Amino acid sequence: MSTTIHRPVIILGSGPAGYTAAIYLGRANLSPTLIQGMQPGGQLTVTTEVDNFPGFEEGISGPELMRKMEAQARRFNTDMISDLVTQADLDPARRQGGPFRLTCDSGAVYTCDALIVATGAAARWLGLEAEKRLSGYGVSACATCDGFFYRGQEVAIVGGGDTAVEEALFLTNFASKVFLIHRRDALRAEKVMQERLLAHPKIHPVWNSAVEDILGDPQAGGVSGIRLKNLKTGETPVLAVTGVFVAIGHTPNTALFGDQLDKDATGYLVTKPDSTATNIPGVFAAGDVQDRIFRQATTAVGTGCMAALE
Ligand code: NDP
């Protein structure tokens, strides 16, 4: 049977919100414990250049920014735990009057008096059977991770937000041609990014189009094409591509909490106005997991700081 380890305050998540909370708690001598989760460093570890994080006038790579944040949190004595929480007992009825209780994948059990939830958000998929079948064989949700493998090849990226545009531009470093598939004829991405995308000779936007299927066989070279449906004309052209990158947004990582914490209609944790307090006293939420609107590293840092101070 595993022993239970009690800590005054535990932070769940290792993105900008989690590390910022750790830095503030550490500097207040509150000995924070941070459980890093499945993807240490969070979403910024799969992004390229971060140009809008203040203090880095020439920009900084996402992984390098997160490495620095982690090092800073460690400098203030954060106990960094490499594990994944698989069960959280937060509701007073489930705790029977005891502290919050977290069970990890390793079997370790932690209890704490205060909890900061900074579990972030995860990439969303189109819901096609082929996405699963061809995942790792030409289908990816991370151009930064996998773009390198497509040197000289033709690829497609799906989506019209900042992620899709940023990743399309990144893919031009390797691919010979990048099709950007978008279901409308206007992009959601920042104007300056749109201009860069539309001016790029390697990028070919395909407007008003949905992905009907991804073609290919994992045993025979992986992805070989993508079948689209033009939502205006009903035509179903096939593009011969060897890579498909899905960049259609994210879902907040809140499944762990079931219905213990209040969520909005889209699954984001609800916090009190001007606060990171959730519906359970002692549980605070920071970063993308509670930010449906801004979802920036800088806003995550802000709410991570708020959670620690609260
Ligand atoms: P967004 O939610 O902003 O965009 C998602 C895109 O995918 C939209 O264009 C949407 O289409 C499309 N989409 C959604 N669902 C589907 C579907 N089922 N089928 C086809 N297309 C679909 O997500 P992002 O990940 O791009 O960005 C998230 C947040 O992060 C934003 O606030 C963004 O500004 C920010 N961000 C900032 C960056 C930066 O500043 N460097 C970099 C990356 C992200 P439609 O437009 O029709 O809704």
Side-chain angles (χ1 to χ4, degrees):
M1 207 177 122
S2 62
T3 44
T4 299
I5 304 156
H6 185 78
R7 299 289 164 87
V9 51
I10 293 183
I11 301 158
L12 296 189
S14 53
Y19 285 147
T20 303
I23 292 163
Y24 273 75
L25 290 167
R27 283 173 49 82
N29 283 333
L30 287 170
S31 315
T33 297
L34 186 150
I35 303 178
Q36 288 185 303
M38 196 116 73
Q39 187 182 13
Q43 292 179 77
L44 279 183
T45 57
V46 292
T47 196
T48 42
E49 203 64 9
V50 180
D51 259 345
N52 52 9
F53 198 86
F56 299 95
E57 71 271 43
E58 302 298 334
I60 182 167
S61 84
E64 178 62 3
L65 179 60
M66 296 321 296
R67 193 199 59 72
K68 283 178 176 288
M69 285 193 201
E70 178 179 347
Q72 195 175 355
R74 284 186 189 275
R75 181 156 76 90
F76 297 110
N77 301 320
T78 301
D79 188 8
M80 215 63 84
I81 310 282
S82 188
D83 212 336
L84 177 72
V85 175
T86 52
Q87 188 184 327
D89 297 310
L90 311 181
D91 190 84
R94 284 173 67 161
R95 291 185 272 133
Q96 298 171 329
F100 303 123
R101 189 180 167 86
L102 306 167
T103 307
C104 290
D105 191 47
S106 67
V109 177
Y110 293 89
T111 57
C112 58
D113 306 313
L115 179 71
I116 295 177
V117 177
T119 47
R124 209 179 280 155
W125 294 92
L126 294 163
L128 300 170
E129 178 276 328
E131 279 173 320
K132 282 193 189 136
R133 190 166 45 85
L134 292 161
S135 176
Y137 296 93
V139 173
S140 166
C142 178
T144 323
C145 319
D146 302 327
F148 181 78
F149 301 113
Y150 296 88
R151 194 173 289 283
Q153 301 178 39
E154 300 195 4
V155 301
I157 184 148
V158 187
D162 280 314
T163 305
V165 169
E166 192 177 272
E167 296 204 336
L169 288 163
F170 177 74
L171 285 168
T172 62
N173 292 322
F174 313 101
S176 57
K177 197 184 245 189
V178 179
F179 295 101
L180 179 119
I181 318 293
H182 185 35
R183 61 185 180 184
R184 297 186 294 130
D185 62 1
L187 296 167
R188 185 181 287 279
E190 234 181 286
K191 196 89 180 89
V192 57
M193 296 290 284
Q194 290 194 28
E195 283 164 8
R196 281 177 60 195
L197 178 111
L198 296 172
H200 201 290
K202 280 189 179 177
I203 299 180
H204 300 259
V206 184
W207 304 117
N208 302 309
S209 295
V211 179
E212 269 209 336
D213 203 3
I214 302 168
L215 314 173
D217 179 348
Q219 311 307 327
V223 167
S224 59
I226 186 167
R227 190 171 66 241
L228 303 178
K229 179 166 189 178
N230 186 305
L231 300 172
K232 290 250 160 96
T233 64
E235 285 172 85
T236 55
V238 171
L239 296 180
V241 292
T242 49
V244 177
F245 295 88
V246 178
I248 60 166
H250 294 81
T251 304
N253 296 323
T254 54
L256 173 66
F257 309 107
D259 58 5
Q260 299 178 86
L261 294 176
D262 287 349
K263 298 173 196 166
D264 70 11
T266 48
Y268 286 84
L269 295 185
V270 173
T271 49
K272 302 219 157 83
D274 300 326
S275 168
T276 60
T278 66
N279 55 302
I280 297 181
V283 179
F284 303 86
D288 282 11
V289 74
Q290 57 83 58
D291 179 5
R292 187 175 53 81
I293 299 167
F294 303 106
R295 292 174 293 178
Q296 301 296 300
T298 43
T299 50
V301 161
T303 50
C305 161
M306 284 167 63
L309 294 176
E310 289 190 285

